Each structure stands twice: as structure tokens, then as C-alpha cells.
Amino acid sequence: MMGSGKLVNLVKYLDRYILVLLTVLLVAVSALAFLTFFNNGLGLAYNDARSHLDIGRRVVEGLKPGLAQLGSVWLPLPHALMVPTIWNDFMWHSGLSGALISMISFVGTGLVIYLFLKLLGVGLLARLVGVLVFVANLNILYLQSTAMTELLLIFTMTAGIYELVMWHKDEKILSLVKAAFWIMMASLVRYDGWFLLFFAAILIIYHTARKRGFKAAEGTFILFATLAAFGIVLWFAWNQLIFGDALYFAFGPYSARVQQEQLAQAGVLATKGDIFLSAKVYLYALLYNTGAFTAILGVLGMIVFWLNKKINSSVRIASTALLAPFLFNILALFLGHSVLFIQGISGETWFNVRYGVMMLPTIAIFVGYLVHKLVPLRSTIIGLFLFVTFFAFANVDAVTIDDARVGSSQKNVAEVSGWLTKHAKDEKGFVLISAASHDAIIFSSGLPMKRFIHEGTGAYWQNATTSPDRWARWIVMRTNDLGDSTFKLTQASGQLEKYDLVNSYPFADIYQLKSEYLINLNTEPVLGKQK
Amino acid sequence: MKKLLFIVFISLATFILVVLSVKGQFGHPVYFQSEKDTRVGGPFESSNSNSRYALTEAIVERGTLFLDDSLAKFSAPDIVHHNGKYFSIFTPGVSFVGVPFYALGKIFGMPQLFSYSMNALFGLINMFLVVWLARKFGASFYASLISGFLFLFATNSLAYALTFTQHQLSTTLILLALINAIGKRTFINNMLIGLIFSAGLLVDIPNVLMMTPIMIYVFVKHFQSNPEQNKSANFPLRLIVLSGIIIGIVPLFALFGWYNYQTTSSYTKIGQFIGRANYPADELEVPTPKNPNRILLPYDTRKQLNGLYILLLSNERGWLFYSPVILVGIIGLYIAYQDQQKRRLAVLSTSVVLITIISYSMFGDPWGGWSFGPRYLIPAAAILSSAIGVAVAKYKNNILFVSIFILLAAYSLAISSVGALTTSAIPPRVEAVNLANPIAYTYEYNFQFINNNLTSSLIYNLYLSQISVKTFLFVFYIVSILAFIVILVFELANKKKDDQ
């Protein structure tokens, strides 16, 4: 066996260059995973992924391009980050524009987990095990290959918590500023970030008040919140500016609240008001995403960590922020702000089960810590983890893929979009369609965004919904569904009789303007640049 | 002298309890010897026993590895139909070991009784192997006996010592492998462990997985420097010693290959890869994969959450409900882990326990079909039982610990007793509730037997039927708990700290 001296030298060498090596490895894994899911078509299976890409595309291309297309409800950062690349048709339709952000976040999170464990005094092997737990997870590898927002959120939140713990350890202002920066970024990705901001603020106030009194705590909090809450303030201002209502994202017609109300009326929001069911559902989501065995190891690691009095108590308290995603998701389910279906508990389908993956960095960090502490059991833990992971991969056990393929997060709109590709591609004329309801069709049709008149096209939308026969050669909508704004408005116009129902599909019907009315049809973007 | 008397008393109590629990009915002189009656509560109530027994019978009676129509019907659905012939789906180890027992029993007109006594014998051997392992963990003499006694009588080990399944033999081999592994690495020891490993495969395929931590440990041990001599043995010598493992493995591997060739016409294809058949063989029960080149994996991580629940916590099969005293062994392992001298054994034992639990949690059928308790975890129960003695030796002066321990042991002994005296064929919940006449899916089913004055005990059915089954169970239970209390009292009174 290698002499102990040589082993020490190897460890020192690795320690010096490990971040570079790790980055290269993570990039390679990320690229490989993307190529795999790109080739098998799963990269664009999520309905939401197609929507995210369309939102980014609408900023740069369409009948009314501009930053206003970032819209409301969904926070803007993921779409804003796509802007530099999504103008390219390949980057848009391959999903790479969105996936690239996820991939960079994947690499970043792996590195943060490594640094986090280093901050906790964990040895090299255990740090690498922590990273491995994160990387060798099919759900993570899949999501990082898509234009979904989970990886960006995970990265920004984990980075924020890392800096927060760092600040609790060294109390350097720069760490606090960095924590504020990353939490601000997280608050512009998803509302989970807002909860983390609140949680972090409490930790900061508590820590400073305990050490230096309330006056110092107040000042530190203001310093932190000025940057950390900037994104939230901007978001309120944005909603006020663009939609005339600072709370448009919360109460507007396309808000999650409205969606949840519809679900509640349909009787499928069982978690609302039931804390135990909310906890159970989220726990199942967590276990299915991370793996039961890995989760148990993580919990054991957590217990060992928090009971270890040799670790600075401030660091132990700060690390409770790693539980923020867990608490937020249960709270959101309990309040009815979130919906999550687990097959077998909430019926026979999956929906939003990917929310459970948010706890994976936490689990990874604590598994790494466990491996660090239980030296004699290291081989056992690592061996068993590899054994279980092998079968996870061999069985392609990924609930996020199941949700994308057969769950409620997928929409097979191929029939509708295929019809549009075949009949509208080489013809002139606009397609009137609700982006809020049918973004997946817009994406999958392959047609340029400027062919579509939707809610965000301003005067085009107003004109087309009152006089569709003058603007829309085709109308795509769910007939008799008042939730589809295209149907709701065009029905009132009384002009639908000028259209033939050319096809009826599960997700939408397609109407085509009768040939005798084509002469009055506008087929060019004549309304020019709109404000 | 005191110890000798004590050993005689415990051995007698153990023997009596085991004999009382042997399954059988009144016949000429004993039923089931030529009658293939698959009634619940009988020795042939479960097809996994029947299939193995059928192979033993075929070997002795007809000198063949194949089952004729009557034996195939008797063993279905645990049979394979291949090239027009039927054979057992299981690996042949249990059946092969049963051959001399069957042959001897045939002389006395009781082949079934003698064959099944094989597992009872291994159950007793395992009890003493657990005692031995507990001593290796540093438990005192009496505490070790508690370990062994509780393993046999407070877990589902006793219930399965009365069947013709693989569990007792597998446990024996795993315990022997553990004890061998902590010994010195000599050529002979390596040969022995190789033999044990290959025997494990012959008895049941998952044994290979359960012994993997042991084999890895043995392998790595050859390359660790010897701290006593402060130098390593030279490399070529280590390789020669290591080769003992290969030499030990070869004979039984060859036997297995020969068996496969005889049954499937391939040295490497085993019956389980072909799939189950019914009798008559009109359909396969194992779904044919759409892609014939895709291997059907035995483990599925998606099932792990449910599997862990079923095996550890559920009222259907969980340790928590069937033998919670086992969990005291976790404390014992932790204590052993704290001791530098015992740490390696504790780590190795923990590895074997964990791989058993984790692998079976991912298995498609953690219930083990119609069974009593978590039968797949019997080897893990043996290891944890051995650690119970460590915990008892350490905390015997703690009143709270002793009180809780007695309660857990009393409960576990009760459940194990009722299981051993009635049936091991409890259906999983999903099957039980969907039967035309739904039945209980927990040990409640066993208690229903008792309430209906039914027992599987041969001795009761032959000689004691004038008393009620409840009384019989009560006496059985009192004997087992008395034996346990006597051992415990001796341990509590034992003032020697390290009674090696």
C-alpha cells in the first residue's frame, strides 16, 4: 500500500488544485448529462421549461419585444439571464439557453458544497463525498439539463447560506455583503428566496444582538437588508410600473393564487390547512428526490453536526438556514400557495415533485460531515451509497423525469404544434393564442415568436381579440374554457363564425380563417414599435 | 460446576422448546411423511419450503434434479419449466444439505421430519454461533447466552427453523464468515472463507451480497502492515495466502455450475433468470422485458422507502412489531464501536447488517411473500442479537435499561412463540384484504389460530391435545421467559467485569 508520507503529499497536492479539478469534472458531467437528455428529448419535456424559454425569447423577439416581456408572477432572473443567448434560434429551441444557466448553477453548487464542507473543517475525502452525493443524483442531473429554475435557485441559496455561515464564523463585513448578494439573487429566482431572506435576517439579528447588543443588530440588519431585499423592492416596483399594481404578481389573473384557488375548488389542494399532510407530502417529495438511504444518512449527519459542541455554536446556529427550503415548502403547502402531488398519496400522478430536490445540497453537506466524523465507518457508508446509487441509475429512478414524462408537469402538445408547423410555417398570417395557457404550443411549433399574437403583444392582442378576422389567420384555444383568455375574448367578439374548426386536440382546438375573409387580413406587423 | 449445570439447564430448556415447536400432525405414525398436504400450519404451507424439499426428495428417491409432475404441482409456483422439464427455481444448497437428513429419515419412515430437523439443527447451531460472536464482542458469558437465546426464541428465527427454507443455513454461513474474518489470515482460513462464500451462493444468491463486506475486509486485511511485527509480510507470500480464497471458492462454484448446466444447459444461467412457471406451465409469472437484452434488476431504489418501512416499522413484517428487542443490539454495536479492540468487528458487523437491510429494502417483495416477520433479515437479526449481550453487560446496573429490556424481550418472546406454534404464512396486507374472505395480515392471524384451538406443534397434536392450545402456548411461553429470566438473573448477579 502507498506509504503514509506519499499519501500526505498526494492529499496536499490535491488540496491545492482540487477546485480546478473539480470544476473540470463537474463541467464534463454537466455537459454529458445535457447531451444525454437533449438526445432523448427529455430536456424539453417539462411544460414549464418551454414557457421559461419562451419568456426569455419574447424579450428579444416578437411583435412587442422588450424587458416588459419578463412579465409578472414568475420572478425575472432566469429569463433575464437567457437574454444574451436566446436570440439564437438553436439556443432557443434546443433549450440550451435555459439549460446553460442550470448547468453553470450545477457546477457552482458542487463547488459551494465543497467549500461549505471545507469551512466546517471536513477532510478532503469527506468533502468529495459531499459533492458526489449532489452530483450522483439523477434528478439533479436531469434538472440541470433543462431550462427549469431549480438549479439556479439551489445555487444562489446555497451560496447565500455558505456566506452567511462564513460571516457567523469570521464576522467579516465582506461575507455579509456576499451573503446579501446571493440571497438577493435567490429572491429574484423564486419566492423560496424571500423566505431565506427572512430566515437569514432573523439569524443575523440574533447573532449580532447576542454578541454586541440590539443597536449593533439593527445596524447590521440594515446593512444586510439593503442589498438582500433590493431585488424584492425592485420586483414590487416592476409590478407597479408595468402592471399598475405592486401586488399584481400575487393577486393578478395569472398568479399562483388564482391557480391554487381553482385547484382548491376542484378539491385537489388537500395540503391547504393541514400541516401534517403538508409535511408528509413534502417529506415524500424529498425522499423520492434524494433517495431514502441518502436522506437517512443526511439526517444522521445533521444530528452528529448539531450535537458536536466542538463546533462554534454560531456556526451551528447559522447552518440551520440549510433547512429553509424544507420549512418554506411545508409552509407554502400548508397555506395553499403551493401544490405538490405525490403518486400514491395525492392520487395517481406526480406534480411539482421536483420541489423535493431543494434539500439535496443540505443532505449532501451533512452526509459529507457524517463521513468525516465516522472514520471507521467511512468505507461502509461510501460503499453502501455507491451500491444504492448504482441501482438508482440502472433503474433510471428519477421522479422528476417521471413527472416530465407522465406526470402533470408534461403536456404532449405535439399534435397541435405539429399542425401549426405543417400548415402555418410557409403561409403568411398571425396565430392568435394565449401564451399563459399555451406557451408549450408556441415553443413546440418552431415558428418565430413574431408570428404569435398573445397577451403580451399590446395593441395586437387588443385588436385581434376584438376583431380576430382582421388579425388572426389561425386561432389556437380551448373552446368553451373561460380560463383560456383567447376563447373568453374572441367569443365576445362574435367573429368566430368566420373561422373553420380545422382540428380538435386534447389540449387545444385550431381554428382557421375562412378563405373568403383572407382579403381583409393583416399579415404584417404594421403597428410598429409600441411603448 | 455452576456454569456446567447452568449450561445443561439452558440447553435442556432450548432443546425442549425447539422440539415442542416442530411442525406435524398425527398420522401413521406422523402425517406429512408421504402426504403432500399444503394446509396452513403444516410443514408444506409455503412453496419456498416445498420447492427445496421437492428437490431433496427427487435426488434421494429418483436420483434426479428434475421434478416429476406431482412434485412440480406440489412446488408451484416456485418452479421453472425449461426444455420440457420442471426444476426448483431456487439454488440447490439447502436441498443438497437436506439429502443425508432425508435419506436417514427415510429409514425410519419419517423423511419429512428428519429433513426439516436440518433447519432446527442449524437454528441451534446459530444460537451458539451468536453466543460465540457476542463473546467476541466482549459480552460476558451470561450476557452472550442472552444474545443466543433471544436470537432463537425472540425473533422469527425459530419460526423459520421449522421450515425448509434458506434462512438458517444462510445465517450459519454468514456468522461463520464473520468469525473467520476476524481471525488471522492464513492459507487454511482463506480456503475456509472461500468455501463458506461459495456455499453461501449455493444456498441463496443474496448471500453473496451480504458477505461482500466480509470478503472485502478479508482481502484488504492481507495488505495492511502487521503492527505487531512492525513490517509487512512480503508481497508474493501474501498472494499465495490470498489464493487460498480462490481455492476455497472453486469446488462449490464448480458444483453450482454443474447444477446449472444440468438444469438449464448453461453453466452460468440460473433458474431465476428463466422465470417462474405455474403447473401446468401455461404462463410465465415473471414479466418478459420488452427488450430481451435488458437485464431485469433485482433491486429498485424507488421501492426502498416502502421496503424500509415494511422491514423495520410496519405491523406487517417490521422488527418494531415482531422482535423489538433486536433494536437493543444497536446500542450494543455502538458500545463495541467505542472500544478500540472491538471496533473492527463492530464495523464489519454493522456493514453486514446494513447491506442486508438496504438490499432487501430495494427488493420487489420485502414481505417475503406469505411469511412471518421479516424473514430476509434473519441473518441481520443474528448479528444484532449478538450485540444485545454487550449492551446488557454494560447497562445491567441501570434499572431503567433493564426494565425496558425485559419488557421488550417478553413481548418479542411472546410473538415469536405464537409464530413458531402456528403458521409462518401470513399474507401481505395488499393480498390479505383482497382475498374472497379477507384475513389478518399481522401476527393477529397467528393469535386467531390459537383462539381456534389450532397449533402446528407435532408434540401437541400427538400427545397433548387434551389440553387447550392456549394452555400449551402459555406453558411454552412461560418456559421460554423463565429460561430468559434465569440467564438474566445470573448476568445481573455476575460481578466479574470481563468474564472472558
Side-chain angles (χ1 to χ4, degrees):
Chain A
M1 281 189 70
M2 196 183 284
S4 57
K6 282 185 186 168
L7 193 61
V8 167
N9 287 338
L10 176 66
V11 169
K12 279 186 183 165
Y13 176 84
L14 280 174
D15 224 347
R16 212 181 309 150
Y17 297 107
I18 192 68
L19 284 178
V20 173
L21 292 169
L22 210 48
T23 306
V24 169
L25 200 62
L26 289 170
V27 166
V29 168
S30 175
L32 186 64
F34 173 78
L35 283 170
T36 304
F37 292 112
F38 174 70
N39 285 329
N40 66 21
L42 284 171
L44 294 168
Y46 266 101
N47 182 36
D48 280 0
R50 289 175 270 178
S51 290
H52 286 303
L53 289 160
D54 275 354
I55 292 171
R57 179 71 177 196
R58 280 193 280 270
V59 173
V60 299
E61 189 249 319
L63 289 172
K64 194 186 172 193
L67 282 176
Q69 294 296 338
L70 290 174
S72 182
V73 186
W74 274 346
L75 287 155
L77 187 61
H79 314 118
L81 290 174
M82 287 185 210
V83 166
T85 56
I86 205 158
W87 53 268
N88 179 282
D89 284 353
F90 172 77
M91 293 296 282
W92 175 30
H93 279 122
S94 64
L96 186 55
S97 182
L100 203 56
I101 297 156
S102 297
M103 291 159 75
I104 293 169
S105 300
F106 167 80
V107 173
T109 309
L111 295 174
V112 171
I113 289 171
Y114 179 87
L115 291 170
F116 207 124
L117 286 165
K118 193 174 180 183
L119 178 66
L120 298 180
V122 166
L124 177 64
L125 174 66
R127 287 180 235 155
L128 293 175
V129 168
V131 175
L132 181 67
V133 168
F134 176 72
V135 168
N137 181 292
L138 256 180
N139 294 292
I140 284 287
L141 290 174
Y142 171 62
L143 287 172
Q144 73 94 49
S145 310
T146 68
M148 299 296 280
T149 57
E150 272 70 26
L151 264 299
L152 181 61
L153 181 65
I154 283 172
F155 173 51
T156 49
M157 285 182 76
T158 312
I161 296 168
Y162 166 69
E163 295 293 349
L164 187 69
V165 172
M166 178 77 90
W167 175 76
H168 276 74
K169 192 177 181 190
D170 62 18
E171 294 199 354
K172 288 183 179 158
I173 290 291
L174 187 60
S175 299
L176 188 67
V177 169
K178 285 184 194 173
F181 170 75
W182 287 113
I183 291 173
M184 179 199 64
M185 298 292 267
S187 71
L188 289 171
V189 178
R190 287 225 307 245
Y191 296 100
D192 312 41
W194 295 29
F195 183 81
L196 177 62
L197 167 59
F198 166 74
F199 200 106
I202 292 178
L203 288 172
I204 288 165
I205 292 168
Y206 174 74
H207 176 79
T208 319
R210 203 167 64 124
K211 295 248 172 152
R212 302 201 300 272
F214 281 106
K215 227 26 189 167
E218 188 187 39
T220 310
F221 168 72
I222 291 170
L223 173 66
F224 169 76
T226 306
L227 178 57
F230 183 61
I232 295 176
V233 169
L234 267 184
W235 183 241
F236 280 111
W238 171 269
N239 276 265
Q240 182 64 45
L241 199 67
I242 304 295
F243 302 99
D245 176 5
L247 294 174
Y248 185 84
F249 67 93
F251 299 109
Y254 306 111
S255 64
R257 185 170 171 274
V258 168
Q259 187 191 53
Q260 261 59 290
E261 270 173 7
Q262 289 168 355
L263 290 168
Q265 274 165 20
V268 293
L269 206 60
T271 53
K272 186 177 178 180
D274 188 338
I275 190 70
F276 293 111
L277 185 61
S278 300
K280 179 181 176 182
V281 165
Y282 188 70
L283 196 58
Y284 267 80
L286 188 164
L287 291 169
Y288 277 128
N289 274 279
T290 61
F293 175 63
T294 310
I296 291 169
L297 285 180
V299 168
L300 288 173
M302 212 182 294
I303 294 169
V304 169
F305 175 78
W306 278 327
L307 291 178
N308 186 357
K309 292 202 166 76
K310 287 182 185 166
I311 299 174
N312 183 328
S313 63
S314 299
V315 167
R316 280 187 283 148
I317 291 168
S319 66
T320 56
L322 288 167
L323 292 179
F326 184 75
L327 297 170
F328 169 77
N329 277 283
I330 292 175
L331 192 62
L333 288 168
F334 173 68
L335 294 173
H337 293 167
S338 176
V339 60
L340 205 163
F341 293 160
I342 298 291
Q343 197 178 65
I345 298 177
S346 328
E348 291 310 309
T349 191
W350 304 99
F351 187 48
N352 291 338
V353 67
R354 66 188 184 278
Y355 292 171
V357 89
M358 295 304 304
M359 283 296 289
L360 188 58
T362 303
I363 300 281
I365 286 165
F366 286 124
V367 171
Y369 189 78
L370 186 71
V371 168
H372 167 70
K373 288 304 286 182
L374 298 182
V375 174
L377 277 169
R378 260 183 203 169
S379 307
T380 303
I381 295 171
I382 295 170
L384 287 170
F385 173 75
L386 291 174
F387 172 69
V388 172
T389 304
F390 169 78
F391 281 102
F393 276 77
N395 285 296
V396 193
D397 178 12
V399 283
T400 51
I401 296 178
D402 289 347
D403 194 4
R405 277 178 47 244
V406 299
S408 300
S409 295
Q410 58 85 30
K411 252 189 196 173
N412 186 356
V413 297
E415 288 169 316
V416 183
S417 55
W419 192 98
L420 285 175
T421 311
K422 192 175 173 190
H423 295 96
K425 188 180 173 191
D426 298 320
E427 300 287 338
K428 280 181 172 270
F430 298 114
V431 180
L432 177 62
I433 186 169
S434 164
S437 301
H438 303 299
D439 232 339
I441 295 173
I442 293 173
F443 181 91
S444 302
S445 69
L447 299 177
M449 197 59 77
K450 58 181 181 252
R451 293 290 305 275
F452 295 95
I453 296 174
H454 55 79
E455 299 94 325
T457 52
Y460 288 100
W461 174 258
Q462 281 157 16
N463 290 339
T465 48
T466 48
S467 308
D469 57 309
R470 301 296 300 276
W471 292 94
R473 186 162 176 186
W474 299 278
I475 301 174
V476 176
M477 64 184 177
R478 267 195 306 273
T479 315
N480 298 321
D481 180 1
L482 291 172
D484 185 326
S485 48
T486 306
F487 172 75
K488 191 175 168 184
L489 295 168
T490 54
Q491 185 196 38
S493 74
Q495 301 296 317
L496 285 177
E497 62 200 20
K498 294 180 181 172
Y499 288 83
D500 290 319
L501 173 65
V502 292
N503 240 316
S504 202
Y505 295 109
F507 285 106
D509 301 327
I510 303 177
Y511 292 82
Q512 182 167 262
L513 188 66
K514 290 177 180 171
S515 51
E516 58 261 38
Y517 298 108
L518 283 173
I519 194 142
N520 293 323
L521 184 70
N522 284 309
T523 59
E524 296 296 329
V526 296
L527 296 182
K529 202 171 177 181
Q530 302 177 61
K531 281 188 186 168
Chain B
M1 186 61 183
K2 187 175 86 174
K3 252 188 199 169
L4 183 64
L5 281 170
F6 179 81
I7 290 171
V8 167
F9 165 71
I10 293 301
S11 302
L12 200 63
T14 302
F15 181 76
I16 288 169
L17 287 170
V18 170
V19 165
L20 283 177
S21 44
V22 166
K23 289 185 190 302
Q25 284 288 342
F26 176 80
H28 301 288
V30 174
Y31 195 61
F32 296 114
Q33 303 316 299
S34 53
E35 300 86 357
K36 298 289 189 293
D37 187 337
T38 58
R39 67 172 77 170
V40 177
F44 299 139
E45 63 181 352
S46 187
S47 60
N48 52 17
S49 284
N50 300 351
S51 183
R52 291 181 170 94
Y53 180 77
L55 174 57
T56 303
E57 182 177 315
I59 291 170
V60 176
E61 298 291 353
R62 291 170 32 242
T64 176
L65 300 171
F66 297 102
L67 309 178
D68 61 18
D69 287 343
S70 67
L71 283 179
K73 188 179 176 185
F74 168 65
S75 309
D78 286 331
I79 51 173
V80 177
H81 187 243
H82 185 65
N83 292 339
K85 291 182 179 174
Y86 293 100
F87 56 93
S88 172
I89 198 171
F90 301 115
T91 49
V94 174
S95 306
F96 284 172
V97 174
V99 163
F101 290 87
Y102 184 101
L104 183 64
K106 192 178 166 187
I107 297 168
F108 296 99
M110 291 187 282
Q112 178 272 318
L113 208 54
F114 273 65
S115 304
Y116 274 56
S117 69
M118 172 191 83
N119 261 347
L121 177 65
F122 277 105
L124 287 166
I125 290 171
N126 288 336
M127 176 179 159
F128 289 105
L129 284 175
V130 167
V131 170
W132 190 357
L133 191 61
R135 295 289 274 153
K136 291 289 179 194
F137 269 125
S140 62
F141 172 74
Y142 298 107
S144 305
L145 274 177
I146 290 174
S147 288
F149 189 83
L150 286 178
F151 168 64
L152 187 56
F153 294 106
T155 71
N156 57 348
S157 169
L158 181 61
Y160 281 93
L162 311 167
T163 64
F164 205 68
T165 54
Q166 74 278 30
H167 304 297
Q168 293 298 342
L169 205 42
S170 296
T171 303
T172 304
L173 292 169
I174 289 169
L175 291 175
L176 285 174
L178 251 181
I179 290 166
N180 178 300
I182 57 175
K184 283 186 181 167
R185 294 331 313 158
T186 62
F187 185 80
I188 298 292
N189 271 352
N190 281 352
M191 262 182 61
L192 284 172
I193 204 164
L195 198 65
I196 292 168
F197 181 75
S198 53
L201 171 67
L202 211 53
V203 166
D204 196 23
I205 294 167
N207 288 336
V208 168
L209 195 60
M210 289 190 272
M211 289 198 213
T212 296
I214 300 171
M215 299 308 286
I216 291 174
Y217 173 77
V218 164
F219 180 80
V220 168
K221 213 170 163 181
H222 288 82
F223 301 100
Q224 287 170 341
S225 55
N226 188 331
E228 288 168 357
Q229 295 170 1
N230 202 28
K231 65 177 183 208
S232 335
N234 67 63
F235 192 71
L237 185 61
R238 283 188 221 174
L239 283 184
I240 291 168
V241 170
L242 201 53
S243 66
I245 298 177
I246 308 295
I247 291 167
I249 283 176
V250 164
L252 292 180
F253 256 42
L255 178 62
F256 190 38
W258 171 83
Y259 175 80
N260 290 335
Y261 187 78
Q262 297 302 313
T263 50
T264 68
S265 309
S266 162
Y267 291 106
T268 52
K269 188 190 271 191
I270 58 175
Q272 280 162 354
F273 289 160
I274 297 171
R276 274 187 172 76
N278 263 321
Y279 180 86
D282 49 358
E283 60 188 58
L284 280 174
E285 289 192 11
V286 174
T288 315
K290 285 181 186 155
N291 179 359
N293 295 322
R294 187 172 176 257
I295 302 167
L296 280 178
L297 295 165
Y299 301 121
D300 184 352
T301 43
R302 185 64 64 88
K303 298 187 167 108
Q304 184 166 56
L305 187 59
N306 187 54
L308 285 171
Y309 170 72
I310 295 293
L311 289 170
L312 301 177
L313 304 174
S314 75
N315 60 358
E316 292 181 67
R317 299 284 184 272
W319 263 344
L320 193 65
F321 277 83
Y322 281 81
S323 43
V325 73
I326 282 291
L327 302 173
V328 174
I330 298 173
I331 302 173
L333 276 179
Y334 178 74
I335 294 165
Y337 178 83
Q338 303 294 314
D339 183 343
Q340 282 269 49
Q341 307 273 348
K342 310 286 185 282
R343 186 170 290 168
R344 281 195 176 195
L345 178 59
V347 168
L348 192 55
S349 302
T350 303
S351 304
V352 175
V353 169
L354 285 177
I355 190 93
T356 307
I357 294 172
I358 285 163
S359 57
Y360 278 111
S361 70
M362 299 193 291
F363 196 51
D365 177 23
W367 296 268
W370 288 48
S371 64
F372 178 79
R375 65 184 178 98
Y376 293 134
L377 298 190
I378 289 174
I383 295 172
L384 278 179
S385 296
S386 65
I388 289 176
V390 182
V392 170
K394 173 110 178 163
Y395 293 116
K396 63 183 181 184
N397 296 320
N398 184 314
I399 294 173
L400 183 63
F401 172 83
V402 172
S403 308
I404 295 172
F405 176 63
I406 290 174
L407 284 171
L408 291 175
Y411 170 85
S412 305
L413 284 165
I415 302 304
S416 169
S417 300
V418 82
L421 295 180
T422 54
T423 176
S424 302
I426 305 175
R429 183 171 177 268
V430 65
E431 290 184 49
V433 300
N434 287 312
L435 289 171
N437 295 311
I439 59 177
Y441 51 85
T442 69
Y443 52 63
E444 186 192 329
Y445 188 49
N446 301 86
F447 280 105
Q448 284 171 2
F449 264 72
I450 302 293
N451 289 337
N452 291 332
N453 210 45
L454 294 168
T455 175
S456 58
S457 166
L458 174 66
I459 298 297
Y460 176 88
N461 290 324
L462 283 181
Y463 306 115
L464 301 173
S465 52
Q466 65 272 25
I467 65 172
S468 73
V469 167
K470 275 188 191 168
T471 306
F472 176 63
L473 170 66
F474 182 71
V475 168
F476 185 96
Y477 179 63
I478 290 297
V479 171
S480 66
I481 206 157
L482 263 175
F484 164 70
I485 294 292
V486 164
I487 309 172
L488 183 62
V489 163
F490 268 77
E491 170 58 23
L492 292 176
N494 181 25
K495 295 223 186 308
K496 285 185 191 170
K497 198 177 171 178
D498 225 5
D499 184 7
Q500 290 284 345

